[in-house]
Every structure is written in C-alpha cells, then in structure tokens.
Amino acid sequence: MKKIINDPSNVVPEMVSGLVRSYPQILKQIPGTEAVIRADKETMAGKVGIISGGGSGHEPTHAGFVGKGMLSAAICGQVFTSPTPDQIYEAIKAADQGKGVFMVVKNYSGDVMNFDMAKDLAEMDDIKVKSIVVDDDIAVEDSLYTQGKRGVAGTIFMHKILGAAAQNGASLDEIEELAKKVLPHINTIAVALSAATVPEVGKPGFELADDEIEYGVGIHSEPGYRREKIKPSKDLCNELLTKLDESLHLDSNKKYSLLINGMGATPLMEQYIFSNDVLNWLEQKNIKPAFMKVGNYMTSIDMAGISVTLFELADDKWLDYLNMPVETVAW
Amino acid sequence: MKKIINDPSNVVPEMVSGLVRSYPQILKQIPGTEAVIRADKETMAGKVGIISGGGSGHEPTHAGFVGKGMLSAAICGQVFTSPTPDQIYEAIKAADQGKGVFMVVKNYSGDVMNFDMAKDLAEMDDIKVKSIVVDDDIAVEDSLYTQGKRGVAGTIFMHKILGAAAQNGASLDEIEELAKKVLPHINTIAVALSAATVPEVGKPGFELADDEIEYGVGIHSEPGYRREKIKPSKDLCNELLTKLDESLHLDSNKKYSLLINGMGATPLMEQYIFSNDVLNWLEQKNIKPAFMKVGNYMTSIDMAGISVTLFELADDKWLDYLNMPVETVAW
C-alpha cells in the first residue's frame, strides 16, 4: 500500500481537519466529533436541517455537500464504517433550528441502525427527526453490509433536491413527502476496474486481473453481478445503460438528470470519453439530459471505475432545485 | 493498460466531445478543431481574449477553466503533445473581440514554438497577440521537453488572475504587465507515487517500486530530483514546503494563495490529509493562506501524486481576482 497518509488508524480525523481548515469559509467541525456543519449558521436559521453521513472513503461525499442550499451537516464515520449514534446525535442537535431535522441515510445495515438510534436520542430532546433510506444501486438485491439495494452515487441528487427545498422553506413533513417521491426515480449502476484499498487493511478489497472488470460493484468493493475482460467504453456504456433502461423504462417524453461519477482513481480523460458514449446512447433514444454532472462525487477511496446515475425529473420543480446555486466545496 | 476508452489513438476527440456535450451551457467546440470556447460569446464582448492550451492528459486543465471570468478558449493537443499552430490560430481568431488576445503558455519547447507560430499567423490578420510563458515548477532546471523550469499546476492561478482582469476590462498591455508581475510569485513542486500511462503508449512513463516515491516529477512523467522509500505525509510535506520556502522566502507578513493538487489517481482522502499537514507546516511559520483550493486541477492522466503551489499575493487586488466568481466547469 502506497498512500499519502500518516497513521492508517488516524486517517479520518486528519482528513476532516484538513477539509475544514482548507475551506473555513464554508465548513466548521462540530466540537468533539468528526462531523462538519455549515460555517455560516445564519444560512440555516428558520429552516429544516438536512443531514447525511456514513463511512468515510467516499470523498467529497458527504462533507463536500455541506453548505448553503444543500446539507446542513454531515457525519464522517471511520473508513467504510457507519458513524456512531452519538456523533450523529451531535450533528442533529447542531443542525436543528427548531424546525426539525431530516436525515439522508444510504442503505447499509450499520448506517440505518445508527441513524435510527440517533433519532431516538434526539427525540428524547424533543427534536423532530425524519429520514429517508436511499437505495439507488440497481446492480444487485442484497449484498455485503446490506439488505435490499445499496445506496450509492445517486444519493447526491437527494442531498441537492432536499437541500434546495429546505432552503426554500419547506417543512419537515413536506421534505419527507418530497424525499419519498424522489427516491424511486434515482437509479445508479457501476463498473469497477480495480478495488479500493482501506488504509487499515493495507490491500485491495478484491483482486481483478490486469484485463478484467466487474459490473455492479458497490462503493465498498461489494461484489457485483458479472466479471469479464475489459471492453471498449462504448460496450461498458451499453451494458450499464441497458440495465438502467430496464429499471427506469426510459422515455423520450420525460426529463432526466445524469451523473457520471468517477470512483477515485479514474481520470477525467476516461470520464469524459465515457460521458460521450453515454450521451450517444441516450441520443439514440432521443433523450438529452436536462441536467448533467461529470466528476468524482461518490468515490470508493482509490478504486478505478465509474458509475452512471439517471434521475427521472418527474416534477419540473426538481430541475429548478438542481439548478439552484449552492455554497459547498464539491457540488 | 486497463482504461475506459475506445480507441487509444482517438482519446482526445472523444474526450473533448464528451466534455463539451456534458456542459453545453458553458462550452462549445470551435468547428474543425479540438479547441473549446465559451458557449456564451456575449461574456467576451469588448474584452481581451485570454487563451491557453497544451497537450491533453491534464484534465480539467485547460478546457475546464474556460468560461466567464476566466479563459476565453483553450486548445487541447494530443496527449502530452503541443497543439498544432493552426488549431491555436483558430482559437485566437475565435477569442478575439477586437481588443487582442493574450496567450498563457506552459514552458515546454513544443508549446512555446507552436503558440509563437500561431501568434505570427494571427498578426498577419492584424490581431494583436501577446503571451506569457509559465514556469512555476521549482523542482529542476531543464528537463525532458523543456529548457528552464516547467509549467505546472500554478498555471491555473495565472488563468484566474488574467481572466478576472480581462473581465474587469483590462487592456492587452495591462494584462501583459500583470502577467509579468504575477509570474515569479507562483511556485510549485510535486511528489509522485506512480507514473502516468499514455493511452497510445500503453505502459507507465517510468517505474517506481511498490514502496518508492520520486520528488519533483513533472506532469508528463519527466524525472524529478530524488527517489526514496515512501514516507508519512508529514515528511513529504516537509520536503516540498522546505523547497518552496527556499525559493519564495516565506514571510508571515505576506499573503499567500495555496493549491494542493491531485495528479489524477490520488483520492481526496489523501489530498485532505496532506492539506492538513501543509497547513500545520505553514502555521508554524505563522502563515495562514488567504485563499486555498484542494483537488484535481492539473493532472497527469492517472498518475498518483500531489503537488503544492504557493502564490505570493504581492498585490491585494490579486486576492480579489482569485475570489471573483466564474462560470467554468472546474474552477
């Protein structure tokens, strides 16, 4: 393992410190935790708090999406490990402005359990807390760490939509209703060229041969659905988009938001080439995304690979929400 | 070589197409070229055009910095290869709004020669063209492809400063004067953990052992100044910052802008940990950056490694220029 780190057991505190100190105008650390909150608390006044979090290793998710117009706070667990209920509880308290707090949780058993426990703690303080569990990965049902589908890159669309609604003054109940409506419209699928190396483990989570790829790998190196020899970008695109089409039933009369997401070690050169193939594929279906992003948004440490998210914009207001300006490190 | 590409000899056209189609609100392609220009030409009206470019493989540089408030156009050469004079000439013509065009060139022999030839062509059309050659890499004097120091990540500060000045209405002569003043204040140095693989070559530009690093490597895998065993982030930081201090003579009474730049395959986790060490190192000198960025800005395809740029803000106006809003893909 060759990494720019100091102590493998101390990567999260040092990383959170580095992030917050690099962007003091946007972020500050919640004392005694590895959670971050907006530096400008005024931007949260009178609004529902939107929080998220999970294991670290997915940077810039989640902390990179904290800021005006998006998340109020984010909790950074140990690498690929759920944050503890007490840390989540501290983030809920810090994010609450008397209007309640809404939690965006990715569907991993540890996250679901710990966010639930934190909710119970907060409710004893009379803070109203609601949540959504995001499970956008269509690759496999049930997997390592998960019952049901996994929560992956499409989660950032949920962050953005709910953050914008909160900024516009939506109530906790309205945000819950919105989250439930949005959820089934976000679908993601990935292909991996290599696995991530967790610093404390020191070796990759799985091995792929020099000419091998695996479709459907999760963001913690959970198994996918098929291994085969590396293929041209066009063919990878066709495999992933065909799966998304089977799930979302793409329709040229509908609007879509597209996210092409690098997993950490995949250069932008490859991401743009892949984007070109995705746009060609969609064009053949007479679909042109109404909103689009390409880059490293939900990574898996140093994994090489790429994911595609399609989000059907079933309500025109959602496109406005995606386009609303934010003040974050990474959106 | 395992990459998400189609044809190794066609990566640049497909990449440029993917980029432009992903961000049509910001970028459009100059017909018949692999150069891009602002989609909204109105933002250039009455202003000096600022253009840059060079070999591809450094994404998001240079095209990611085209947009209101920054570059007018950028030319994408073949991978690690200067763009041709005719492509640069087309970009000059497209960027010119009657006020002249200023070219930001990184110090590589091919780039310097081809941008000069394009300038000669443009001057025959009575377009006024001036330029600056950026050589911010303090690691080595003379190197593969270069006489004198190399132009690396600090170039994006030059793009930002000149783009802001042009946006504010500076004349071609004023921009030239500004560029000359800014140049010696930008210093960069890097450390590599692995080399880049050019698609058409198919193997890394050099080999490092599993536990080895090299200080001072360039953005095209040019040799650095020392190889040794991998060390903790703190020690890498100390090596690089000591060199920057020897060159810039850091002074706590002066203001600095800091760029921590990932080379393509280095995850943000490591970049934030390294940033924490850099900020600690600077704090011991009583220096707190007045402006800062962390991320993949000037990459070397899939190289693992990091660079540090310090830019002494000798004029307070430069900080305002850095903070001016822009509409680009990547700033």
Side-chain angles (χ1 to χ4, degrees), chain B residues 145-192:
Chain B
Y145 316 130
T146 341
Q147 283 198 311
K149 296 184 296 158
R150 302 172 298 219
V152 291
T155 307
I156 74 164
F157 284 139
M158 185 67 83
H159 294 158
K160 182 66 172 80
I161 293 285
L162 301 188
Q167 190 66 34
N168 279 357
S171 70
L172 187 61
D173 286 341
E174 287 166 345
I175 284 173
E176 181 185 38
E177 191 188 347
L178 176 62
K180 284 180 180 168
K181 273 192 193 154
V182 161
L183 184 63
H185 296 294
I186 304 178
N187 278 201
T188 300
I189 190 164
V191 61

Side-chain angles (χ1 to χ4, degrees), chain B residues 251-271:
Chain B
D251 178 342
S252 63
N253 294 312
K254 294 179 175 171
K255 285 185 186 163
Y256 297 92
S257 173
L258 171 64
L259 171 66
I260 309 285
N261 174 59
M263 307 299 286
T266 292
L268 279 174
M269 173 185 280
E270 297 174 41
Q271 295 183 39

